[in-house]
Amino acid sequence: MLEDKNPQRTTLENLGEFGLIKHLTQNFKLNHDSSVLGIGDDAAVLDFKGKKTIITTDMLVEGIHFDLSYMPLKHLGYKSVIVNLSDIYAMNANATQITVSIAVSNRFPLEALEEFYEGVAMACKMYNVDLVGGDTTSSTTGMLISITAIGIAEENEIVPRSGSKPNDLLVVSGDLGGAYLGLQVLEREKEVFKVNPNNQPDLEPYSYIVERQLKPEARKDIVALLQKLDVKPTAMIDISDGLSSEILHLCEQSSTGCNLFEDKIPLDPTVMSTSEEFKMDVTTIALSGGEDYELLFTIDQSDFPKIKGNPNLTVIGHITDKGEGAHLITRGDTKIPVSAQGWNSFNP
Amino acid sequence: MLEDKNPQRTTLENLGEFGLIKHLTQNFKLNHDSSVLGIGDDAAVLDFKGKKTIITTDMLVEGIHFDLSYMPLKHLGYKSVIVNLSDIYAMNANATQITVSIAVSNRFPLEALEEFYEGVAMACKMYNVDLVGGDTTSSTTGMLISITAIGIAEENEIVPRSGSKPNDLLVVSGDLGGAYLGLQVLEREKEVFKVNPNNQPDLEPYSYIVERQLKPEARKDIVALLQKLDVKPTAMIDISDGLSSEILHLCEQSSTGCNLFEDKIPLDPTVMSTSEEFKMDVTTIALSGGEDYELLFTIDQSDFPKIKGNPNLTVIGHITDKGEGAHLITRGDTKIPVSAQGWNSFNP
């Protein structure tokens, strides 16, 4: 018997827009009391019963934000949700609903969208968020994703970027630079594959950083941990564009400066070994790589005992007066201004 | 003195993403008490003080939903907001906030985005909605817009699509078919322009329908009018895809059928004359043209005296049992099933 090597391909035209939305979203259930009415009407209805509503939105474009040659669609669906949830957690809020809009060219069959939505569903399940709306349409070329995430918080829980004050400690969750290096590994494998399509890449030694790139997580656990530790950050932001860019945002909006210590930046061993392999400066990668989706926040010094020694949290510096500016104190004890393109300044 | 015929062109690279967002949104003010925190943090914060939150989202893709060769960017910005607000009003709710995400290729200078945001700002002002968030990114080709609109309503005010019952009257606001015919006029002029770029089109006789296409309005006024008349529709939907498609949605979600009378469908004189000029059936256009952004709703018969004679509202039929199906009663008194592609059925 001959094996059918072609995976199933159902063209989207056969389903039509409404059939498509119904098909893709039929297994999504509403789990939150605040999700009053989901997909299927002109709009969704939410009820936050007097609490604050938190809204954020992000757009992902094929060829700019992702490359389908090494990004499986299921991972893409998952990651697209994660990058939005991360912004909600960065407000110290809880994510409750998302809307997912997607535009695809006719090179995508139904099965591709199903895979994408499998990833969306997995993220919804992992993070307990309800899919309540969206739009599905055609594009002239490639795939585009726009997601809006909605969250909930009590007024006194919300942590904006603007609340840090001099002498606060600068804290980061997890470790940095992995997602960027994972991307470098994947791009190198893509080049190898172009030359020799039979080459089987061994990604095993890079599994941590490849996963940081392909299947990042949002730090909902850190929001819960801080609550458990009874620590309310004075300011918080998520690290999507690299540590230096986010530090500058936080300082600008808080009207403060900061001192950041190079030797305190948390790095995974794989990040250190791979950056050596790629002959790249590991600090530069942590400062400017981006896509880590960790949380960067400031706490009052009096809260230090509560977080001290916690393996998920690292104190990497402190806040100063605005006039002092934002500086990196290097391992060699040199003071360098933090800039959004850190690699230009100190990696000549 | 020589005139500089090149409009100013500022490339987006010079500004950077954050500079760009700041630049484009600096003149947007927050007007609603429910807008607690707007653009500039990880997410926006809204407070609906116990009322229900209404959310809808729509994506518009260049080459699919709009053609920049006859759609000025300012109009596009305006219309992109309108199509989303229309969905909020179709829930009988009040629109309060929007987020605007936009992806553009490097063929767009800053001035193009400024024009687009001028249109967004005009719609925000006209409809009193606050811009509270968004995303600005690059695309590999063309322009993509994704807007999420947020609204507010008391629980007992919300009108979903699912509440119509047999004997309810089927009512539509405004008149239908104009936006589709306006598009036909614009596409004809585009063809003429291709042949003779010096030809100056005379669009004056078509100004009503061209405006319906390029600068549609959302029927916030109808929501207010119904409230004033003390009429709460039993079901409501906005007409974005043509009357027949929307009637079928409403009937399906209400588990009802309907009888729609061809001779009751409201048509503007320009729509009638232009459809004749284009040798198109005017009923087909009203049923399937789309983009009218009028409201289609059902009311209890006892409410008929309240709306009778109102120039903004037209009774076009009534709801029946589901078993009777959805039918169009033609001028010739023939009964034809309503189908989402109406033109196939009765325009052979």
Side-chain angles (χ1 to χ4, degrees):
Chain A
M1 232 168 86
L2 288 170
E3 193 191 347
D4 180 7
K5 291 218 174 134
N6 289 320
Q8 207 190 332
R9 259 189 86 91
T10 310
T11 61
L12 297 181
E13 292 79 31
N14 299 340
L15 273 168
E17 188 189 340
F18 304 109
L20 179 60
I21 293 175
K22 215 180 240 182
H23 176 85
L24 293 172
T25 61
Q26 62 194 349
N27 294 322
F28 284 81
K29 299 273 167 288
L30 299 181
N31 293 311
H32 285 271
D33 287 344
S34 55
S35 304
V36 180
L37 182 68
I39 289 166
D41 216 299
D42 293 282
V45 179
L46 312 178
D47 184 358
F48 291 104
K49 297 199 182 4
K51 291 192 179 185
K52 298 283 186 280
T53 308
I54 320 291
I55 303 255
T56 181
T57 191
D58 252 313
M59 201 180 234
L60 300 166
V61 182
E62 185 181 353
I64 306 284
H65 301 96
F66 57 89
D67 182 334
L68 289 174
S69 62
Y70 47 72
M71 179 57 123
L73 280 160
K74 194 170 166 181
H75 286 76
L76 180 62
Y78 192 87
K79 184 170 174 175
S80 306
V81 177
I82 294 305
V83 303
N84 278 280
L85 299 187
S86 181
D87 281 323
I88 299 284
Y89 300 133
M91 300 299 286
N92 204 35
N94 187 28
T96 44
Q97 286 91 8
I98 54 168
T99 66
V100 175
S101 294
I102 180 168
V104 285
S105 68
N106 54 17
R107 84 168 206 261
F108 292 87
L110 174 62
E111 288 71 20
L113 293 195
E114 286 175 343
E115 238 188 285
F116 176 84
Y117 270 84
E118 264 180 55
V120 170
M122 196 185 281
C124 283
K125 200 176 162 197
M126 282 289 293
Y127 289 86
N128 189 21
V129 298
D130 293 341
L131 178 73
V132 294
D135 196 10
T136 312
T137 184
S138 356
S139 83
T140 45
T141 165
M143 185 175 198
L144 297 120
I145 304 151
S146 179
I147 294 188
T148 297
I150 301 133
I152 185 172
E154 297 285 358
E155 179 165 15
N156 59 6
E157 288 169 349
I158 295 171
V159 177
R161 296 175 178 177
S162 54
S164 78
K165 54 189 193 311
N167 299 319
D168 280 357
L169 299 175
L170 192 61
V171 187
V172 70
S173 67
D175 53 71
L176 301 177
Y180 177 81
L181 278 173
L183 183 64
Q184 302 312 307
V185 169
L186 289 165
E187 297 212 316
R188 183 175 65 182
E189 292 310 323
K190 185 182 170 183
E191 293 307 311
V192 170
F193 179 83
K194 277 186 195 164
V195 177
N196 177 7
N198 292 318
N199 183 64
Q200 283 295 317
D202 179 17
L203 293 178
E204 217 282 314
Y206 308 105
S207 59
Y208 176 69
I209 57 177
V210 167
E211 187 160 328
R212 292 286 283 175
Q213 170 60 226
L214 295 184
K215 193 172 170 290
E217 302 294 345
R219 301 311 302 259
K220 181 184 187 176
D221 59 329
I222 298 295
V223 173
L225 174 69
L226 290 172
Q227 199 159 23
K228 204 181 121 199
L229 296 174
D230 191 29
V231 174
K232 187 189 166 193
T234 51
M236 186 151 64
I237 190 168
D238 80 321
I239 303 182
S240 50
D241 293 312
L243 182 59
S244 58
S245 167
E246 311 300 358
I247 283 183
L248 290 174
H249 284 310
L250 192 146
C251 285
E252 193 199 351
Q253 291 189 38
S254 292
S255 292
T256 53
C258 75
N259 286 323
L260 164 69
F261 295 88
E262 184 180 17
D263 62 353
K264 303 288 186 199
I265 297 173
L267 302 167
D268 186 83
T270 320
V271 168
M272 289 192 269
S273 60
T274 312
S275 63
E276 263 178 47
E277 189 187 328
F278 277 82
K279 297 191 172 41
M280 295 173 106
D281 178 61
V282 72
T283 302
T284 304
I285 289 167
L287 286 174
S288 308
E291 293 204 276
D292 289 317
Y293 303 109
E294 295 295 341
L295 293 174
L296 174 75
F297 56 93
T298 53
I299 61 169
D300 192 276
Q301 286 214 2
S302 64
D303 280 333
F304 178 63
K306 298 179 190 166
I307 67 153
K308 194 182 163 186
N310 192 301
N312 294 292
L313 304 174
T314 311
V315 177
I316 56 172
H318 59 261
I319 298 297
T320 63
D321 281 332
K322 188 185 173 77
E324 294 184 38
H327 288 92
L328 175 76
I329 319 296
T330 67
R331 285 193 190 85
D333 218 18
T334 318
K335 209 169 170 179
I336 300 172
V338 174
S339 81
Q341 285 87 29
W343 63 89
N344 292 332
S345 326
F346 52 91
N347 195 28
Chain B
M1 231 169 86
L2 288 169
E3 192 189 352
D4 179 7
K5 290 218 172 131
N6 289 319
Q8 205 189 336
R9 258 187 87 90
T10 310
T11 61
L12 298 180
E13 292 80 30
N14 299 342
L15 272 168
E17 187 189 341
F18 305 109
L20 178 59
I21 293 175
K22 213 180 244 183
H23 177 85
L24 293 172
T25 61
Q26 62 194 350
N27 293 321
F28 284 82
K29 298 273 168 286
L30 300 181
N31 293 311
H32 286 272
D33 286 344
S34 56
S35 305
V36 180
L37 182 67
I39 288 166
D41 216 299
D42 293 282
V45 178
L46 312 178
D47 185 357
F48 291 105
K49 298 197 180 9
K51 291 191 179 186
K52 297 284 184 281
T53 308
I54 319 291
I55 303 255
T56 182
T57 190
D58 252 312
M59 202 181 233
L60 300 167
V61 181
E62 185 181 354
I64 307 284
H65 300 97
F66 57 91
D67 182 335
L68 289 174
S69 62
Y70 47 70
M71 178 59 121
L73 280 160
K74 194 170 165 181
H75 286 77
L76 181 62
Y78 192 87
K79 184 170 174 175
S80 306
V81 177
I82 294 305
V83 304
N84 278 281
L85 299 187
S86 181
D87 280 322
I88 300 284
Y89 300 133
M91 301 300 285
N92 203 37
N94 186 26
T96 44
Q97 287 90 9
I98 53 168
T99 66
V100 175
S101 293
I102 181 167
V104 284
S105 68
N106 54 16
R107 85 167 206 262
F108 292 86
L110 174 63
E111 288 71 20
L113 294 195
E114 286 175 343
E115 239 189 283
F116 175 84
Y117 269 84
E118 264 180 55
V120 170
M122 196 186 280
C124 283
K125 200 176 163 198
M126 282 289 294
Y127 290 87
N128 189 20
V129 297
D130 293 342
L131 178 73
V132 294
D135 196 9
T136 311
T137 183
S138 358
S139 83
T140 47
T141 165
M143 184 175 199
L144 298 121
I145 304 151
S146 179
I147 293 188
T148 297
I150 301 133
I152 185 173
E154 296 284 359
E155 178 165 16
N156 60 6
E157 287 169 350
I158 295 171
V159 177
R161 297 175 177 177
S162 55
S164 78
K165 55 188 194 308
N167 300 319
D168 279 357
L169 299 176
L170 193 61
V171 188
V172 70
S173 67
D175 53 73
L176 301 178
Y180 178 81
L181 278 173
L183 184 63
Q184 302 313 306
V185 169
L186 289 165
E187 296 211 317
R188 184 176 64 183
E189 292 310 323
K190 186 182 170 184
E191 293 307 312
V192 170
F193 179 82
K194 277 185 194 164
V195 177
N196 179 7
N198 293 319
N199 182 65
Q200 282 295 318
D202 180 17
L203 293 178
E204 217 282 314
Y206 308 106
S207 59
Y208 176 69
I209 57 176
V210 166
E211 185 159 330
R212 291 287 283 176
Q213 171 59 226
L214 294 185
K215 192 172 170 288
E217 301 295 345
R219 301 309 306 255
K220 181 184 185 175
D221 60 328
I222 298 295
V223 173
L225 174 68
L226 290 171
Q227 200 160 21
K228 202 180 122 199
L229 297 174
D230 191 28
V231 173
K232 187 190 166 193
T234 52
M236 187 149 65
I237 190 169
D238 80 320
I239 303 182
S240 49
D241 292 311
L243 182 60
S244 57
S245 168
E246 310 301 358
I247 283 184
L248 290 175
H249 283 310
L250 192 147
C251 285
E252 193 199 352
Q253 291 190 39
S254 292
S255 291
T256 53
C258 76
N259 285 324
L260 165 68
F261 295 87
E262 185 180 15
D263 62 353
K264 303 288 186 199
I265 296 172
L267 302 167
D268 186 83
T270 320
V271 169
M272 289 193 269
S273 60
T274 312
S275 63
E276 263 178 48
E277 188 186 329
F278 277 82
K279 297 193 171 39
M280 294 172 106
D281 178 62
V282 73
T283 302
T284 305
I285 289 167
L287 286 174
S288 309
E291 293 203 277
D292 289 315
Y293 303 109
E294 295 295 341
L295 293 174
L296 174 74
F297 56 94
T298 53
I299 61 169
D300 192 275
Q301 285 215 1
S302 65
D303 280 334
F304 177 63
K306 299 180 190 167
I307 68 153
K308 195 181 162 185
N310 192 301
N312 293 292
L313 304 173
T314 310
V315 177
I316 56 172
H318 59 261
I319 297 297
T320 63
D321 280 331
K322 187 186 175 74
E324 293 183 39
H327 288 92
L328 175 77
I329 319 296
T330 67
R331 285 194 191 83
D333 217 17
T334 318
K335 209 168 170 179
I336 299 172
V338 175
S339 82
Q341 284 85 28
W343 63 89
N344 292 332
S345 325
F346 53 90
N347 196 25

